[in-house]
Amino acid sequence: MKNTYFLTTAIDYSNAPPHLGHAYEKITADVIARHQRLRGKDVFFLMGLDEHGTKNEKAAKEKGVSPEVHCDEIAEKYIETWAKLNISYDSFIRTTEEKHKEAVKKIFIRLQEQGDIYKKSYQGLYCFGCEAFYLEKDLDEKGLCPDHKRAPELVSEENYFFKITKYKQKIKEHIINNPGFIQPESRKNEVLNLLEDFEDISVSRETVKWGIKVPGDDKQVIYVWLDALNNYITALGFESNDDSNFKKFWPARVQIVGKDILRFHAIIWPAILFALGIDLPECIYSHGFITIGGTKISKTIGNVIKPEDLINKYQTDGLRYFIIREMNYGNDGDFAAEFNEDKSFSKCEILENRVNADLANNLGNSLNRIVSSILAKNCEGIVPERFLEAEKDFPDFIEKTKDKVGESMDKFALQDSVISVWDLVNKLNKYIDSEAPWNLAKRAAEDSSVTPYFHGVLYTCLETLRIIAILASPYIPEITQKLWEQLGINESLQAQNWDNIKWGILKSGTETKKGDLIYPRIDSKLADKSKKRSS
Ligand code: ME8
């Protein structure tokens, strides 16, 4: 089996800056990418921006700038936000790049030459929000687009069409024969039902100006989805002078998309790949939405929360942890936010409770009590010797945790995986309470025969913290880095891999470093009170 791991996210429309929904998708993908790197995989993590089409054209017009200027401004914003969120992508594609545009044209010509793209007149109901035609039966009871709650417009054009119908049977068989292809499994039937009525789709637009021109027909531009979907292979150099990454990394292990765009990825994308004679990705994973009061956060609806507002208040890792811990990846999850009178973000109490309990208390306090307090006071900060009796069932529990985390991540059960890591954090916390090393220190001062056990308890705590730092690093990279620094281990946290999750690696004699709290408690109530007092 290949040791490569290619994963992608959807490329976001650059009609507006990123919101919490986009951040959600990118954070989850980043956790998977970081986890797989830890497992020793040669990871290639691709993200990017979908810069063509009506939505982007319109946004530029509203701003009074050219689409090029608009896209550059938005791209800067996205890249800035992803950096703040510590998203470790390996490549960031923009569909306005020459390399991409040239490759898409070649793909179009190939499909045309083999008879998979043909020209015909067409009239249909078009939703500009989805950039897709709808059949009447797929609209809601009021005749509106189910996602955007807007009436689609009647559009008639002479367009180029892609012969999806030719590949329908093959796609159906692929979905049925490969149970892991569409995940979560619960969405499989939805795709199979949609596939039944799927017709050839138009893959060019006469009314749109901002896009890749149809080769040999300047009046039309290539349909934004045919343009955008191909990013997953053009970014690897497909149909370019250097396709070494394509040869090395394709097919993708997982392509992460929201449930609203599953049909594009589970039907149109496989049809393109079949037509090109390319393997299909191993898995299309479709996640749920972040909602506010049950409504999807969306640029079109306008109920957005900026990731920056959350980062400023809760730090990057507070947001990352909460998102993975509280949302069930395949389902929708409500972000119970409170807003100020001017509609700006005020706070999210469930987030505060969660990060205070798990990050500030259970993880942060454990580290603080052991390294900055007891170890500094009693052992000059030096990691003491192991003592078997003090280790209880920790070595065994850690092996089990490692297996559980790996299994959950392989199933994209991100929430389960982080819960398993925190079972270990909570176990450590309880161990510290029950062993009460501060009492052991006093007893050891009076009776030296207690010392080996006391030291063994400290070693057990420190070794568990070392393993927690590695296991938790994909979710909370900044906090675990601070934890790692306090442990004083020479090799970097980034250099650790799955084999380092083994009991007994921490060397006695290592010099730990007292440090600040790795995640200070959030106290909005106090902040609210002091605000009121000062006003
Ligand atoms: O669909 N919760 O771009 P996009 C969770 N350009 N995920 C959300 C979300 C929410 N509230 N809102 C959006 C596009 N997303 C196309 C993709 S791929 C070849 C082209 C997710 O900016 C959404 O489901 O509308 C999608 O996966 C991604 O953000 C980009 O959405």
Side-chain angles (χ1 to χ4, degrees), residues 107-117 162 272 275-276:
I107 290 168
F108 194 96
I109 293 169
R110 235 169 104 171
L111 298 181
Q112 207 174 9
E113 282 176 356
Q114 68 191 40
D116 281 333
I117 286 182
F162 176 44
I272 296 172
L276 292 172

Side-chain angles (χ1 to χ4, degrees), residues 11-13 19 21-22 25 50 258 260 287 289-290 297 299:
I11 50 170
D12 307 321
Y13 282 126
H19 59 61
H22 299 111
E25 179 175 285
D50 187 355
D260 52 335
H287 60 77
F289 291 149
I290 295 211
I297 297 182
K299 288 178 272 199

Side-chain angles (χ1 to χ4, degrees), residues 52 205 263 265 273 320 528 533:
H52 288 131
R205 296 286 182 274
R263 61 203 167 112
H265 286 81
L273 293 170
R320 289 177 65 109
D528 285 350
R533 242 180 277 131

Side-chain angles (χ1 to χ4, degrees), residues 94-368:
R94 295 177 55 188
T95 55
T96 47
E97 283 166 31
E98 276 317 305
K99 181 175 123 180
H100 170 77
K101 291 197 286 189
E102 286 313 306
V104 169
K105 279 189 213 161
K106 285 188 191 159
I107 290 168
F108 194 96
I109 293 169
R110 235 169 104 171
L111 298 181
Q112 207 174 9
E113 282 176 356
Q114 68 191 40
D116 281 333
I117 286 182
Y118 62 96
K119 214 171 175 183
K120 81 165 189 194
S121 299
Y122 185 75
Q123 177 166 301
L125 294 168
Y126 196 73
C127 170
F128 284 91
C130 299
E131 296 273 21
F133 281 101
Y134 269 92
L135 294 175
E136 243 162 82
K137 70 170 188 50
D138 295 326
L139 300 173
D140 71 9
E141 61 287 354
K142 291 186 191 142
L144 307 179
C145 158
D147 274 338
H148 294 94
K149 304 289 171 211
R150 283 185 183 175
E153 291 175 34
L154 192 66
V155 170
S156 46
E157 282 183 11
E158 188 178 49
N159 290 147
Y160 291 87
F161 276 73
F162 176 44
K163 248 188 214 167
I164 290 207
T165 44
K166 180 171 153 191
Y167 299 101
K168 269 169 71 165
Q169 187 55 27
K170 237 176 139 173
I171 298 171
K172 186 174 170 183
E173 281 164 15
H174 188 87
I175 294 174
I176 293 168
N177 297 336
N178 295 276
F181 179 57
I182 293 176
Q183 290 190 49
E185 172 90 50
S186 55
R187 299 219 201 277
K188 202 160 88 178
N189 282 341
E190 175 190 319
V191 174
L192 288 172
N193 286 341
L194 273 172
L195 190 62
E196 284 298 313
D197 301 320
F198 227 80
E199 293 170 6
D200 290 352
I201 57 157
S202 100
V203 287
S204 69
R205 296 286 182 274
E206 214 175 75
T207 45
V208 182
K209 295 285 160 289
W210 179 236
I212 305 173
K213 294 242 180 322
V214 168
D217 187 347
D218 270 4
K219 283 208 306 275
Q220 306 240 7
V221 303
I222 295 175
Y223 174 43
V224 68
W225 274 100
L226 187 72
D227 168 351
L229 285 166
N230 280 305
N231 92 85
Y232 301 130
I233 49 178
T234 64
L236 293 177
F238 182 73
E239 290 289 11
S240 81
N241 296 335
D242 178 7
D243 66 354
S244 51
N245 272 338
F246 176 72
K247 288 198 178 110
K248 181 174 173 188
F249 288 102
W250 190 260
R253 290 296 185 99
V254 60
Q255 301 207 257
I256 294 160
V257 297
K259 63 179 189 182
D260 52 335
I261 56 171
L262 176 61
R263 61 203 167 112
F264 297 94
H265 286 81
I267 298 177
I268 303 178
W269 181 224
I272 296 172
L273 293 170
F274 276 138
L276 292 172
I278 296 175
D279 285 344
L280 265 47
E282 270 175 36
C283 169
I284 303 286
Y285 190 92
S286 116
H287 60 77
F289 291 149
I290 295 211
T291 59
I292 294 184
T295 306
K296 177 194 175 196
I297 297 182
S298 137
K299 288 178 272 199
T300 318
I301 297 168
N303 58 344
V304 299
I305 298 184
K306 291 198 281 270
E308 281 76 5
D309 290 343
L310 299 166
I311 297 170
N312 292 343
K313 202 163 165 102
Y314 305 122
Q315 298 185 21
T316 296
D317 282 357
L319 174 59
R320 289 177 65 109
Y321 181 76
F322 173 74
I323 267 184
I324 305 289
R325 177 60 184 78
E326 289 293 324
M327 310 279 164
N328 186 327
Y329 202 20
N331 299 334
D332 291 354
D334 206 57
F335 192 80
E338 293 172 36
F339 295 89
N340 298 314
E341 273 168 22
D342 64 358
K343 291 200 175 149
S344 60
F345 171 73
S346 165
K347 64 178 175 184
C348 175
E349 219 162 279
I350 45 168
L351 188 157
E352 290 177 12
N353 294 341
R354 175 56 73 190
V355 296
N356 278 344
D358 292 5
L359 302 181
N361 291 352
N362 291 356
L363 181 60
N365 280 349
S366 297
L367 175 74
N368 203 254

